[in-house]
Amino acid sequence: MSTPRAAWAGAGIIAGLAGLAVSHAAAMVLTLRSSPIVSVAETIIEVVPGTLIAGAIDNLGTNDKPILVIGIFTVMMILSVTAGQLARRNWWAPVLVFAAMGLMALGAVLTRHDATARDVVPVAAGVVTWVVVLSFLTDALLLEDRSQQSSETPSDWHTRRGFVHKSVIIGVLTVGIGYLGSFVGGKRREVEKARQLLRLPVTLPSRPDNVSVQVPGMPTWQTPNDEFYQIHTAVIVPAIQPDSWSIRIHGMVEREMVLSYQDLIEAQLTERWITLNCVSNQVGGNLIGNAWWSGVLLADLLERAGCHPDADAVLQTSHDGWTCGTPLDALTDPARHAMLAVAMNGDPLPIDHGFPVRTIVPGLYGYVSACKWVIDLEVTRFDEIEAYWTGKGWSERGPVKIASRIDVPHNGKDVEAGSVVIGGHAWSQHTGIDGVQISLDGGDWQDVRLGGVPNKDTWVQWRAEVDVAEGDHDVRVRAIGADGTVQTGARADVVPDGATGWHEIGFNAK
Ligand SMILES: Nc1nc2c(c(=O)[nH]1)N[C@H]1C(S)=C(S)[C@@H](COP(=O)(O)O)O[C@H]1N2
Ligand SMILES: [Mo]
């Protein structure tokens, strides 16, 4: 006798359940509308001829949907059992079964009216889990089968026990992941629902029409929310209901204040185009985005609180415990437009970008200023605080350094010889950009054409046309600030206070 059929079937079932739990958890955490299995049910309702469905609804009454989901679940379990039993013969047959199940789910998920690329993630995670868990579990069974065929010393005790151990571990993980996914994801879904129902008194962004230099293949001057870079230390980002949010302003102030979300919404709102970037952005990197932010001026709030004259810093704390230290004068200067932002590009802040409230300070890197999910502002002194990143080798102060980037052509790309369009961005928030120059193949710096800007806090697009012969070429760029600063070519690492150096790309003209 070799391993019992039931063990192989059991391995299939456990793998099947684990994959479903992982895909469900992924869908919840990503705040997708539903798990893949629900999309499959909806697709079936859609494609199955009306009379059949009408009959099913007649027969099953209002319970048709749960029953349909249970039916799909049952079919999946039967297929999982089959996969488990096929695993005894070869490794690829169960992979085929799982891949086929995955493809059907993918088809269902992607034909939903509200499908996005993110919907692929839970399906992919589920298929990978199916395959990995099944091979993990059946390894022990295969070993046992083999040792029995070659009538070796019966190590079957160990392998059979190994199989049981593994099954228990996977079973516990499956329940844990499914539960955690529902819990964490459930909270986030509730908050996302509240967020989508908010109607804020903000204006929609109206992009000035001179900002684009019309270079095909360049990122847009305004960065859409779902393309905006994300940096945070939180593994699971805070899910905060706006009506449970408040912020406390305290420390070296005359009048301590606590403000609710409603207080902010009812205050006078400031709106402005501001480019935000990360100190960790490498030369030529894309940890930078430009958005239309709406919020309440921190200068107003701090004036109401009344800061002590010898305070020079504000320690900001987020709901997840992250902190940053911001120079007080950058927040109290009304002309700086530092704000507690509630909206990004006319929409309530996306959860990943700090919903319900985050700080935005033009001219400072995010790590010293742009606290997401902010709940506490302590007016204090730099010599009395240590913030999250300053405790880890990064500078206490983080003014943005002047920089520029080539977006088109992409590094290493082939272009047609003759006239070639070069385009990119340059920025020096709160100082402004006066000029951008490029150097082709090490030649003289030449001025390029700049797009317009609504203020000195945003990046600017630039464009040039050069004539090139066939062969390899390189081009580098530098920016000139409104204060006369010429961007340095000296290379510096991102640590401790931001990279410097010219961005250079190569291309081949054919
Ligand atoms: N709570 C919290 N806020 C944070 C961070 C963080 O890790 N946690 N990272 C900061 C950094 S380093 C940057 S660059 C910006 C990025 O903001 P974004 O994710 O909206 O682009 O957020 C800042 N605010
Ligand atoms: Mo950052």
Short mmCIF file of all heavy atoms in Angstrom, two decimals, residues 199-247:
data_model
loop_
_atom_site.label_atom_id
_atom_site.label_comp_id
_atom_site.label_asym_id
_atom_site.label_seq_id
_atom_site.Cartn_x
_atom_site.Cartn_y
_atom_site.Cartn_z
N ARG A 199 -18.31 65.11 0.22
CA ARG A 199 -18.38 66.18 -0.78
C ARG A 199 -17.68 67.38 -0.16
O ARG A 199 -18.25 68.06 0.68
CB ARG A 199 -19.84 66.51 -1.13
CG ARG A 199 -20.55 65.41 -1.89
CD ARG A 199 -19.98 65.21 -3.30
NE ARG A 199 -20.49 63.99 -3.94
CZ ARG A 199 -19.87 62.82 -3.92
NH1 ARG A 199 -18.71 62.69 -3.31
NH2 ARG A 199 -20.38 61.78 -4.52
N LEU A 200 -16.46 67.62 -0.54
CA LEU A 200 -15.68 68.69 0.09
C LEU A 200 -15.85 69.99 -0.68
O LEU A 200 -16.03 69.98 -1.90
CB LEU A 200 -14.19 68.29 0.12
CG LEU A 200 -13.86 67.03 0.91
CD1 LEU A 200 -12.36 66.76 0.87
CD2 LEU A 200 -14.33 67.17 2.35
N PRO A 201 -15.77 71.11 0.04
CA PRO A 201 -15.92 72.42 -0.63
C PRO A 201 -14.62 72.83 -1.32
O PRO A 201 -14.05 73.87 -1.04
CB PRO A 201 -16.24 73.36 0.54
CG PRO A 201 -15.57 72.73 1.72
CD PRO A 201 -15.59 71.25 1.49
N VAL A 202 -14.13 71.96 -2.19
CA VAL A 202 -12.87 72.27 -2.89
C VAL A 202 -13.16 72.41 -4.38
O VAL A 202 -14.17 71.92 -4.87
CB VAL A 202 -11.82 71.15 -2.69
CG1 VAL A 202 -11.54 70.95 -1.21
CG2 VAL A 202 -12.26 69.84 -3.32
N THR A 203 -12.26 73.08 -5.07
CA THR A 203 -12.46 73.21 -6.51
C THR A 203 -11.68 72.12 -7.23
O THR A 203 -10.67 71.62 -6.73
CB THR A 203 -11.97 74.57 -7.03
OG1 THR A 203 -10.60 74.73 -6.67
CG2 THR A 203 -12.78 75.71 -6.46
N LEU A 204 -12.15 71.76 -8.41
CA LEU A 204 -11.43 70.78 -9.21
C LEU A 204 -10.22 71.47 -9.82
O LEU A 204 -10.26 72.67 -10.08
CB LEU A 204 -12.35 70.24 -10.30
CG LEU A 204 -13.51 69.42 -9.77
CD1 LEU A 204 -14.42 68.98 -10.91
CD2 LEU A 204 -13.00 68.20 -9.01
N PRO A 205 -9.16 70.73 -10.03
CA PRO A 205 -7.97 71.36 -10.60
C PRO A 205 -8.27 71.85 -12.01
O PRO A 205 -8.90 71.14 -12.78
CB PRO A 205 -6.95 70.22 -10.63
CG PRO A 205 -7.73 68.97 -10.53
CD PRO A 205 -8.98 69.30 -9.79
N SER A 206 -7.86 73.09 -12.32
CA SER A 206 -7.93 73.48 -13.71
C SER A 206 -6.52 73.83 -14.14
O SER A 206 -5.92 74.79 -13.67
CB SER A 206 -8.92 74.61 -13.92
OG SER A 206 -8.29 75.84 -13.86
N ARG A 207 -5.99 72.95 -14.93
CA ARG A 207 -4.57 73.01 -15.30
C ARG A 207 -4.34 74.19 -16.25
O ARG A 207 -5.01 74.31 -17.26
CB ARG A 207 -4.21 71.68 -15.98
CG ARG A 207 -2.78 71.50 -16.28
CD ARG A 207 -2.46 70.02 -16.54
NE ARG A 207 -3.64 69.16 -16.61
CZ ARG A 207 -4.15 68.71 -17.75
NH1 ARG A 207 -3.61 69.03 -18.89
NH2 ARG A 207 -5.21 67.92 -17.74
N PRO A 208 -3.39 75.08 -15.89
CA PRO A 208 -3.09 76.19 -16.80
C PRO A 208 -2.69 75.61 -18.16
O PRO A 208 -2.04 74.56 -18.22
CB PRO A 208 -1.89 76.87 -16.15
CG PRO A 208 -1.84 76.39 -14.74
CD PRO A 208 -2.50 75.05 -14.71
N ASP A 209 -3.10 76.28 -19.27
CA ASP A 209 -2.88 75.58 -20.53
C ASP A 209 -1.48 75.78 -21.13
O ASP A 209 -1.18 75.21 -22.17
CB ASP A 209 -3.98 75.90 -21.56
CG ASP A 209 -4.33 77.35 -21.56
OD1 ASP A 209 -3.41 78.18 -21.41
OD2 ASP A 209 -5.53 77.67 -21.67
N ASN A 210 -0.63 76.55 -20.42
CA ASN A 210 0.73 76.71 -20.97
C ASN A 210 1.76 75.80 -20.31
O ASN A 210 2.95 75.91 -20.57
CB ASN A 210 1.17 78.17 -20.81
CG ASN A 210 1.20 78.56 -19.34
OD1 ASN A 210 0.77 77.80 -18.47
ND2 ASN A 210 1.71 79.75 -19.05
N VAL A 211 1.31 74.90 -19.43
CA VAL A 211 2.28 74.12 -18.65
C VAL A 211 2.90 72.97 -19.43
O VAL A 211 4.02 72.55 -19.16
CB VAL A 211 1.66 73.56 -17.35
CG1 VAL A 211 1.35 74.68 -16.38
CG2 VAL A 211 0.43 72.73 -17.65
N SER A 212 2.18 72.46 -20.41
CA SER A 212 2.70 71.30 -21.15
C SER A 212 3.54 71.75 -22.33
O SER A 212 3.17 72.67 -23.05
CB SER A 212 1.54 70.44 -21.66
OG SER A 212 2.05 69.48 -22.55
N VAL A 213 4.69 71.09 -22.52
CA VAL A 213 5.51 71.39 -23.69
C VAL A 213 5.23 70.40 -24.81
O VAL A 213 5.94 70.37 -25.82
CB VAL A 213 7.01 71.43 -23.35
CG1 VAL A 213 7.33 72.61 -22.46
CG2 VAL A 213 7.47 70.12 -22.71
N GLN A 214 4.20 69.59 -24.63
CA GLN A 214 3.71 68.70 -25.70
C GLN A 214 4.78 67.78 -26.25
O GLN A 214 5.02 67.76 -27.46
CB GLN A 214 3.13 69.51 -26.87
CG GLN A 214 2.27 70.69 -26.47
CD GLN A 214 0.87 70.27 -26.05
OE1 GLN A 214 0.54 69.07 -26.06
NE2 GLN A 214 0.07 71.22 -25.65
N VAL A 215 5.43 67.06 -25.37
CA VAL A 215 6.38 66.05 -25.84
C VAL A 215 5.75 64.68 -25.62
O VAL A 215 5.48 64.30 -24.48
CB VAL A 215 7.73 66.14 -25.08
CG1 VAL A 215 8.65 64.99 -25.49
CG2 VAL A 215 8.39 67.48 -25.33
N PRO A 216 5.47 63.96 -26.72
CA PRO A 216 4.84 62.64 -26.56
C PRO A 216 5.74 61.74 -25.70
O PRO A 216 6.96 61.78 -25.83
CB PRO A 216 4.75 62.10 -27.99
CG PRO A 216 4.92 63.29 -28.88
CD PRO A 216 5.73 64.29 -28.12
N GLY A 217 5.09 60.95 -24.83
CA GLY A 217 5.85 60.00 -24.01
C GLY A 217 6.32 60.57 -22.68
O GLY A 217 6.90 59.85 -21.88
N MET A 218 6.06 61.86 -22.42
CA MET A 218 6.45 62.46 -21.14
C MET A 218 5.33 62.24 -20.13
O MET A 218 4.15 62.27 -20.50
CB MET A 218 6.59 63.98 -21.28
CG MET A 218 7.87 64.42 -21.89
SD MET A 218 8.84 65.43 -20.76
CE MET A 218 7.93 66.97 -20.71
N PRO A 219 5.67 62.11 -18.84
CA PRO A 219 4.61 62.12 -17.83
C PRO A 219 3.89 63.47 -17.90
O PRO A 219 4.50 64.47 -18.29
CB PRO A 219 5.37 62.01 -16.51
CG PRO A 219 6.73 61.52 -16.85
CD PRO A 219 7.01 61.96 -18.26
N THR A 220 2.61 63.50 -17.52
CA THR A 220 1.86 64.74 -17.57
C THR A 220 2.35 65.69 -16.47
O THR A 220 2.85 65.25 -15.44
CB THR A 220 0.36 64.48 -17.36
OG1 THR A 220 0.21 63.63 -16.21
CG2 THR A 220 -0.25 63.79 -18.57
N TRP A 221 2.17 67.00 -16.72
CA TRP A 221 2.60 68.01 -15.73
C TRP A 221 1.85 67.81 -14.42
O TRP A 221 2.44 67.85 -13.34
CB TRP A 221 2.33 69.41 -16.30
CG TRP A 221 2.72 70.52 -15.39
CD1 TRP A 221 3.98 71.03 -15.21
CD2 TRP A 221 1.86 71.24 -14.51
NE1 TRP A 221 3.94 72.04 -14.27
CE2 TRP A 221 2.65 72.19 -13.83
CE3 TRP A 221 0.48 71.20 -14.23
CZ2 TRP A 221 2.12 73.07 -12.88
CZ3 TRP A 221 -0.04 72.07 -13.29
CH2 TRP A 221 0.78 73.00 -12.63
N GLN A 222 0.55 67.58 -14.51
CA GLN A 222 -0.24 67.23 -13.32
C GLN A 222 -0.18 65.72 -13.15
O GLN A 222 -0.47 64.97 -14.08
CB GLN A 222 -1.69 67.66 -13.50
CG GLN A 222 -2.58 67.21 -12.34
CD GLN A 222 -4.06 67.41 -12.61
OE1 GLN A 222 -4.44 67.88 -13.67
NE2 GLN A 222 -4.88 67.04 -11.65
N THR A 223 0.19 65.27 -11.96
CA THR A 223 0.29 63.84 -11.72
C THR A 223 -1.04 63.32 -11.20
O THR A 223 -1.50 63.77 -10.15
CB THR A 223 1.39 63.53 -10.68
OG1 THR A 223 2.56 64.27 -11.02
CG2 THR A 223 1.69 62.05 -10.63
N PRO A 224 -1.70 62.40 -11.93
CA PRO A 224 -2.96 61.85 -11.41
C PRO A 224 -2.71 61.11 -10.08
O PRO A 224 -1.61 60.58 -9.87
CB PRO A 224 -3.38 60.84 -12.49
CG PRO A 224 -2.56 61.18 -13.69
CD PRO A 224 -1.31 61.82 -13.20
N ASN A 225 -3.73 61.10 -9.22
CA ASN A 225 -3.54 60.48 -7.90
C ASN A 225 -3.06 59.04 -7.97
O ASN A 225 -2.22 58.62 -7.18
CB ASN A 225 -4.86 60.54 -7.11
CG ASN A 225 -5.18 61.96 -6.68
OD1 ASN A 225 -4.37 62.87 -6.86
ND2 ASN A 225 -6.37 62.16 -6.13
N ASP A 226 -3.59 58.28 -8.92
CA ASP A 226 -3.20 56.86 -8.92
C ASP A 226 -1.83 56.64 -9.56
O ASP A 226 -1.34 55.52 -9.60
CB ASP A 226 -4.28 55.98 -9.58
CG ASP A 226 -4.61 56.43 -10.97
OD1 ASP A 226 -3.98 57.40 -11.45
OD2 ASP A 226 -5.48 55.81 -11.60
N GLU A 227 -1.20 57.71 -10.06
CA GLU A 227 0.17 57.55 -10.56
C GLU A 227 1.17 58.24 -9.64
O GLU A 227 2.37 58.21 -9.90
CB GLU A 227 0.29 58.16 -11.97
CG GLU A 227 -0.35 57.31 -13.04
CD GLU A 227 -0.46 58.05 -14.37
OE1 GLU A 227 0.37 58.95 -14.64
OE2 GLU A 227 -1.40 57.75 -15.11
N PHE A 228 0.67 58.88 -8.60
CA PHE A 228 1.54 59.62 -7.69
C PHE A 228 2.37 58.65 -6.86
O PHE A 228 1.83 57.68 -6.32
CB PHE A 228 0.69 60.49 -6.77
CG PHE A 228 1.37 61.76 -6.31
CD1 PHE A 228 1.12 62.96 -6.93
CD2 PHE A 228 2.27 61.72 -5.25
CE1 PHE A 228 1.74 64.13 -6.51
CE2 PHE A 228 2.89 62.88 -4.81
CZ PHE A 228 2.64 64.09 -5.43
N TYR A 229 3.69 58.89 -6.77
CA TYR A 229 4.54 57.96 -6.00
C TYR A 229 4.05 57.87 -4.56
O TYR A 229 3.42 58.80 -4.06
CB TYR A 229 6.01 58.41 -6.06
CG TYR A 229 6.37 59.53 -5.12
CD1 TYR A 229 6.95 59.26 -3.87
CD2 TYR A 229 6.12 60.87 -5.44
CE1 TYR A 229 7.29 60.28 -3.00
CE2 TYR A 229 6.45 61.88 -4.56
CZ TYR A 229 7.03 61.59 -3.35
OH TYR A 229 7.33 62.60 -2.47
N GLN A 230 4.32 56.74 -3.93
CA GLN A 230 3.92 56.53 -2.53
C GLN A 230 5.13 56.12 -1.71
O GLN A 230 5.84 55.19 -2.09
CB GLN A 230 2.92 55.39 -2.43
CG GLN A 230 1.52 55.74 -2.85
CD GLN A 230 0.61 54.54 -2.69
OE1 GLN A 230 0.85 53.65 -1.88
NE2 GLN A 230 -0.44 54.51 -3.49
N ILE A 231 5.34 56.80 -0.60
CA ILE A 231 6.39 56.39 0.34
C ILE A 231 5.79 56.41 1.73
O ILE A 231 5.26 57.44 2.16
CB ILE A 231 7.59 57.37 0.33
CG1 ILE A 231 8.22 57.48 -1.06
CG2 ILE A 231 8.62 56.94 1.37
CD1 ILE A 231 9.19 56.40 -1.40
N HIS A 232 5.84 55.28 2.42
CA HIS A 232 5.52 55.28 3.84
C HIS A 232 6.11 54.05 4.49
O HIS A 232 6.36 53.05 3.85
CB HIS A 232 4.01 55.36 4.11
CG HIS A 232 3.19 54.50 3.22
ND1 HIS A 232 2.39 54.99 2.22
CD2 HIS A 232 3.04 53.16 3.19
CE1 HIS A 232 1.79 53.99 1.61
NE2 HIS A 232 2.16 52.86 2.18
N THR A 233 6.33 54.18 5.81
CA THR A 233 6.93 53.08 6.55
C THR A 233 5.86 52.10 7.03
O THR A 233 6.18 50.98 7.38
CB THR A 233 7.69 53.61 7.78
OG1 THR A 233 6.77 54.38 8.57
CG2 THR A 233 8.85 54.50 7.36
N ALA A 234 4.59 52.51 7.04
CA ALA A 234 3.52 51.65 7.54
C ALA A 234 3.35 50.44 6.62
O ALA A 234 3.32 50.59 5.40
CB ALA A 234 2.21 52.43 7.62
N VAL A 235 3.24 49.26 7.19
CA VAL A 235 2.97 48.06 6.39
C VAL A 235 1.49 48.01 6.04
O VAL A 235 1.09 47.75 4.92
CB VAL A 235 3.38 46.79 7.16
CG1 VAL A 235 3.06 45.55 6.35
CG2 VAL A 235 4.87 46.84 7.51
N ILE A 236 0.67 48.28 7.05
CA ILE A 236 -0.77 48.40 6.83
C ILE A 236 -1.11 49.85 7.11
O ILE A 236 -0.93 50.33 8.23
CB ILE A 236 -1.55 47.45 7.76
CG1 ILE A 236 -1.25 46.01 7.34
CG2 ILE A 236 -3.04 47.74 7.71
CD1 ILE A 236 -1.72 44.98 8.32
N VAL A 237 -1.56 50.57 6.10
CA VAL A 237 -1.72 52.02 6.30
C VAL A 237 -2.96 52.29 7.16
O VAL A 237 -3.92 51.53 7.13
CB VAL A 237 -1.79 52.79 4.97
CG1 VAL A 237 -0.62 52.43 4.07
CG2 VAL A 237 -3.10 52.55 4.28
N PRO A 238 -2.90 53.39 7.92
CA PRO A 238 -4.02 53.71 8.80
C PRO A 238 -5.33 53.87 8.01
O PRO A 238 -5.34 54.47 6.95
CB PRO A 238 -3.62 55.05 9.41
CG PRO A 238 -2.13 55.09 9.31
CD PRO A 238 -1.79 54.34 8.06
N ALA A 239 -6.40 53.30 8.55
CA ALA A 239 -7.74 53.51 7.99
C ALA A 239 -8.50 54.33 9.02
O ALA A 239 -8.90 53.81 10.06
CB ALA A 239 -8.42 52.17 7.74
N ILE A 240 -8.66 55.61 8.75
CA ILE A 240 -9.22 56.54 9.75
C ILE A 240 -10.53 57.12 9.24
O ILE A 240 -10.57 57.71 8.16
CB ILE A 240 -8.24 57.70 10.01
CG1 ILE A 240 -6.84 57.16 10.35
CG2 ILE A 240 -8.75 58.61 11.13
CD1 ILE A 240 -5.76 58.22 10.34
N GLN A 241 -11.59 56.94 10.01
CA GLN A 241 -12.87 57.57 9.66
C GLN A 241 -12.74 59.07 9.90
O GLN A 241 -12.27 59.48 10.97
CB GLN A 241 -14.01 57.00 10.53
CG GLN A 241 -14.42 55.59 10.18
CD GLN A 241 -15.14 55.49 8.84
OE1 GLN A 241 -15.46 56.50 8.21
NE2 GLN A 241 -15.40 54.27 8.40
N PRO A 242 -13.15 59.89 8.93
CA PRO A 242 -12.99 61.34 9.11
C PRO A 242 -13.65 61.85 10.38
O PRO A 242 -13.12 62.74 11.04
CB PRO A 242 -13.64 61.95 7.87
CG PRO A 242 -14.17 60.84 7.06
CD PRO A 242 -13.70 59.53 7.62
N ASP A 243 -14.82 61.27 10.77
CA ASP A 243 -15.47 61.83 11.97
C ASP A 243 -14.83 61.35 13.27
O ASP A 243 -15.19 61.81 14.35
CB ASP A 243 -16.99 61.59 11.95
CG ASP A 243 -17.33 60.12 11.80
OD1 ASP A 243 -16.40 59.29 11.97
OD2 ASP A 243 -18.49 59.80 11.51
N SER A 244 -13.85 60.46 13.17
CA SER A 244 -13.13 60.09 14.39
C SER A 244 -11.75 60.73 14.42
O SER A 244 -10.98 60.54 15.35
CB SER A 244 -13.00 58.57 14.51
OG SER A 244 -12.06 58.10 13.57
N TRP A 245 -11.44 61.51 13.35
CA TRP A 245 -10.12 62.15 13.28
C TRP A 245 -10.11 63.47 14.03
O TRP A 245 -11.11 64.21 14.01
CB TRP A 245 -9.76 62.41 11.81
CG TRP A 245 -8.43 63.10 11.61
CD1 TRP A 245 -7.21 62.51 11.45
CD2 TRP A 245 -8.20 64.52 11.56
NE1 TRP A 245 -6.24 63.47 11.30
CE2 TRP A 245 -6.81 64.70 11.36
CE3 TRP A 245 -9.02 65.63 11.67
CZ2 TRP A 245 -6.23 65.97 11.26
CZ3 TRP A 245 -8.44 66.91 11.57
CH2 TRP A 245 -7.06 67.07 11.37
N SER A 246 -9.00 63.76 14.70
CA SER A 246 -8.80 65.11 15.21
C SER A 246 -7.31 65.35 15.28
O SER A 246 -6.51 64.41 15.23
CB SER A 246 -9.44 65.29 16.59
OG SER A 246 -8.77 64.48 17.53
N ILE A 247 -6.93 66.60 15.35
CA ILE A 247 -5.52 66.95 15.47
C ILE A 247 -5.34 67.85 16.67
O ILE A 247 -6.20 68.70 16.95
CB ILE A 247 -4.99 67.62 14.18
CG1 ILE A 247 -3.47 67.63 14.19
CG2 ILE A 247 -5.57 69.01 13.98
CD1 ILE A 247 -2.87 67.94 12.83
#
